[in-house]
Each structure stands twice: as C-alpha cells, then as structure tokens.
C-alpha cells in the first residue's frame, strides 16, 4: 500500500502539487489523469523520490520513504516513461538487465531473467536480445521499456504517459497487455495519463487532478455515474459515457433464464461487446455461454439499453 499524506511540492512560486492525500491499494491500477501542468508527473515522481516533496509524507507498506536511501527505494520501484527511455547504445538484453546488474545478480540469473521477460513480452530472446533499441518498432521499444522496469520484480510500477508515443492500434494492444500483465503479476501500478478514455480503461481507481490538487478519486463506475461538478464532469462528458458504462458490466450480471437463436456470447464478455454483437446480427437477444460451454441464459437488447443511461 502506498499512503500519500498531505504531500506538496513547490517550484519557486509554482505549487505543482498542493496538499494531496491518497491511499493506493496494493495490487491495483491507479490512473492519475488531468490536463498538462496539473501536477501528475510531479506527484508520480515523488513516490520514487526522483522529486523530493516540499512537505508531507509518503509511506510504502507503512515505511516512511524519506528515511530510505533514494537509490534503494528506486531499485524496488519500476519506472517507465513516454518514449521508453532505453539506453540507445546498449543491446535490448543489456537494457533489461540494468537493475539486476546494479543489484549484483549473478550472470546466469540475469540471463535467465532477461529471457523470461523477453518471452513474457512476446519478443523472441534469440532474435531480439542482441538488437539495439533503434532496430525495434515503437511498440517493441515500449515493451522493452516495461520489461526493463520489471526486471528486478518490483512490487510497484510507476508509468508516466507510457503509451503516449504509440499509434492508436499499437496503443490499444499495449493497454490490453498491461492489464493482463498486472492481473498476472499482481503488482501495484500508478499510471499518469492526460487521456480520460485510457484512465477509464486501465484504472481500478481514477484520480483526477487540476492545479496540483485532487478533484476526485473514484472507481470508473463512480466517476461516470457521479462526476464532481465542473472540471471532472466536463472531462467525463468527453468520453462515450453510455458505452463506457456498458463496458464495466459483465453479460452474466444481467443475463436472464431462457434461450435465443444464434451463436452464444461468453458470459464473461462485457455489455458493450454484447450490444455490438446484437446490433451487428440485427437481433433482440443473444444466448449466453458459461465457461463449461453450457447455455442456460440469454441477454436482451432492452436489458442492455436499461444499463446504458445515467444511473439514478
Ligand atoms: N523542475 C521544475 N521546475 C519548475 N517548474 C516545474 C518543474 N517541474 C514541474 N514544474 C511545474 O509544475 C507544474 C506541474 O507540472 P507536472 O509536470 O507535474 O504536470 P503534469 O500534469 O505531469 O503535466 P504534463 O502532462 O504536461 O506532463 C507545472 O506548472 C510545471 O511547469
């Protein structure tokens, strides 16, 4: 758990972060979202002490980070920035090995870890380990950047606009990969983005910042249903709110007993997928399949539409 307690940071006359308090649960993804200059990066960098707070305290698992040597702290926290930040004259393998080498791991252990990570990120170790960053695509460089951040198995991963430089298709894939990776490793992720759509997709919790302050910290469902008046409401209104709401609910949650024609949709898919499928097929209801393949329920267009409006 990361406890941020009344943290502020000034740069001269500018108050970049203004009295922020937040609790970030272990094993969750928290998205810090806001416009440029709202203090997101400064707040993120105070967690690994790349920036020292002017006042306030940050505790990680109960331990005040101001008492931990900065190097030691940073080795235990992965950090990924926009445009990957790889060392251009080092091979991919050496880039990934940066922190394990600093920690003095044995060569065989480092090599095994590098291979494991390359495989995890779907990059063949024999093909890609010896390449240099400029020989990779933007998406591949980004994956190597995340692999490097995870090399020493940190419990926390900080990401500052990690997908900002990727084109929309690669970006969508990278977001899905991050979700899968986080669920698999159970790490705590704090990600900075100026994109509310990205925050809604990735965040278990979304923290909206403006002028260095937290305006609202909530789950995606809460934020969509009850955005704080003013700035947050405006940000949320810019997203496809009804479709976003639908994507937060699984088909199983509203499926009813009965049958329908056609190929079934999995109960674990979300209502947005179900709506899309219904519209495409031009029908009123779809059969719903369970993990064991059995089909006992259906989901109807009417019941989906009832979930797409403003919650009352
Ligand atoms: N090293 C610095 N020296 C002076 N001012 C700074 C410094 N770093 C940040 N600031 C100022 O602090 C405020 C918050 O900046 P910060 O980078 O945290 O915002 P941000 O929300 O991450 O913005 P962006 O999305 O553009 O990165 C801005 O007004 C910025 O100009």
């Amino acid at each position: 758990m990361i406890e941020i307690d009344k943290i502020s940071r000034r740069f001269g006359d500018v108050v970049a972060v203004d009295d922020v308090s937040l609790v970030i649960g272990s094993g969750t993804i928290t998205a810090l979202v806001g416009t440029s200059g709202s203090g997101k990066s400064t707040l993120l960098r105070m967690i690994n002490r790349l920036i020292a707070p002017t006042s306030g305290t940050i505790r990680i698992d109960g331990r005040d980070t101001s008492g931990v040597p900065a190097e030691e702290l940073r080795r235990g926290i992965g950090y990924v920035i926009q445009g990957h930040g790889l060392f251009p004259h080092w091979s991919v393998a050496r880039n990934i090995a940066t922190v394990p080498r600093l920690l003095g791991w044995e060569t065989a252990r480092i090599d095994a870890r590098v291979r494991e990570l390359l495989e995890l990120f779907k990059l063949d170790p024999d093909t890609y380990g010896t390449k240099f960053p400029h020989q990779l695509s933007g998406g591949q460089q980004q994956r190597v950047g995340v692999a490097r951040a995870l090399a020493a198995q940190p419990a926390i991963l900080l990401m500052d606009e990690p997908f900002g430089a990727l084109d929309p298709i690669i970006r969508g894939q990278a977001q899905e990969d991050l979700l899968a990776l986080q669920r698999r490793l159970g790490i705590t992720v704090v990600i900075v983005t100026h994109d509310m759509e990205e925050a809604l997709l990735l965040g278990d919790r979304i923290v909206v910042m403006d002028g260095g302050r937290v305006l609202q910290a909530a789950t995606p469902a809460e934020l969509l249903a009850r955005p704080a008046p003013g700035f947050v409401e405006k940000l949320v209104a810019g997203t496809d709110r009804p479709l976003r709401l639908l994507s937060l609910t699984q088909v199983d949650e509203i499926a009813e007993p009965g049958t329908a024609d056609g190929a079934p949709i999995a109960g674990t898919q979300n209502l947005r997928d179900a709506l899309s499928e219904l519209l495409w097929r031009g029908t009123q209801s779809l059969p719903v399949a369970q993990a064991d393949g059995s089909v006992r329920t259906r989901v109807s267009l009417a019941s989906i539409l009832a979930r797409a409006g403003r919650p009352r």
Side-chain angles (χ1 to χ4, degrees):
M1 184 163 70
I2 306 171
E3 293 166 277
I4 297 173
D5 195 3
K6 298 197 171 95
I7 276 284
S8 296
R9 170 69 204 209
R10 288 176 172 275
F11 295 104
D13 289 341
V14 177
V15 185
V17 171
D18 189 5
D19 197 29
V20 167
S21 294
L22 272 181
V23 176
I24 295 172
S26 296
T28 62
I29 301 183
T30 296
L32 303 180
V33 63
T35 49
S36 186
S38 55
K40 310 177 296 290
S41 298
T42 304
L43 180 60
L44 189 80
R45 288 185 203 160
M46 287 196 282
I47 296 174
N48 64 0
R49 292 236 319 272
L50 279 173
I51 295 177
T54 309
S55 60
T57 314
I58 298 183
R59 287 181 295 277
I60 296 181
D61 295 334
R63 190 178 180 201
D64 183 345
T65 56
S66 67
V68 183
E71 292 296 309
E72 184 191 325
L73 184 71
R74 270 173 234 150
R75 282 177 202 162
I77 301 178
Y79 181 54
V80 180
I81 57 173
Q82 178 170 4
H84 65 74
L86 298 174
F87 302 116
H89 304 299
W90 286 6
S91 68
V92 163
R94 182 147 184 222
N95 263 289
I96 295 175
T98 306
V99 176
R101 283 167 73 127
L102 282 171
L103 292 172
W105 288 18
E106 305 225 334
T107 311
R109 185 177 169 205
I110 294 177
D111 290 348
R113 181 68 180 148
V114 168
R115 290 190 79 83
E116 184 186 355
L117 281 162
L118 283 170
E119 276 160 12
L120 182 65
F121 285 88
K122 301 185 196 84
L123 294 165
D124 174 45
D126 295 323
T127 311
Y128 289 99
T130 54
K131 286 197 192 286
F132 289 89
H134 71 89
Q135 295 173 301
L136 307 182
S137 71
Q140 289 169 337
Q141 290 174 0
Q142 198 275 335
R143 269 139 68 198
V144 173
V146 182
R148 181 178 64 176
L150 295 175
Q153 290 166 324
I156 297 172
L157 181 62
L158 306 180
M159 309 182 91
D160 196 343
E161 297 268 3
F163 310 127
L166 303 180
D167 70 57
I169 292 182
I170 303 286
R171 184 180 178 134
Q173 187 59 53
Q175 290 166 338
E176 292 300 329
D177 289 348
L178 174 67
L179 277 174
L181 188 81
Q182 190 272 339
R183 302 294 180 235
R184 177 167 162 180
L185 302 179
I187 51 177
T188 307
V189 176
V190 186
I191 180 169
V192 163
T193 176
H194 61 263
D195 179 0
M196 183 52 102
E197 298 274 357
E198 182 164 272
L200 287 167
L201 176 75
L202 296 176
D204 295 305
R205 202 141 166 272
I206 297 174
V207 176
V208 184
M209 293 187 70
D210 192 39
R213 304 196 74 119
V214 170
L215 300 186
Q216 189 169 10
T219 63
E222 283 165 5
L223 201 76
L224 287 165
R226 279 175 287 280
F231 183 76
V232 183
E233 196 163 29
K234 249 197 240 160
L235 268 190
V236 170
T239 65
D240 289 329
R241 240 189 303 192
L243 296 176
R244 283 283 158 202
L245 267 178
L246 291 180
S247 70
L248 297 172
T249 305
Q250 281 196 356
V251 168
D252 268 341
E253 288 177 43
I254 66 159
E256 55 212 51
T259 54
D261 292 334
I265 185 169
T268 50
Q269 284 193 255
N270 66 54
L271 297 185
R272 184 180 187 159
D273 298 333
L275 175 66
S276 174
E277 198 57 36
L278 277 162
L279 294 175
W280 187 246
R281 292 192 205 173
T283 120
Q284 294 294 316
S285 55
L286 293 173
V288 178
Q290 302 307 308
D292 63 5
S294 65
V295 180
R296 294 183 298 273
T297 55
R298 68 177 172 204
V299 62
S300 69
L301 186 57
S303 63
I304 294 175
L305 294 184
R307 289 295 194 111
R310 180 202 297 260
R312 295 179 198 282

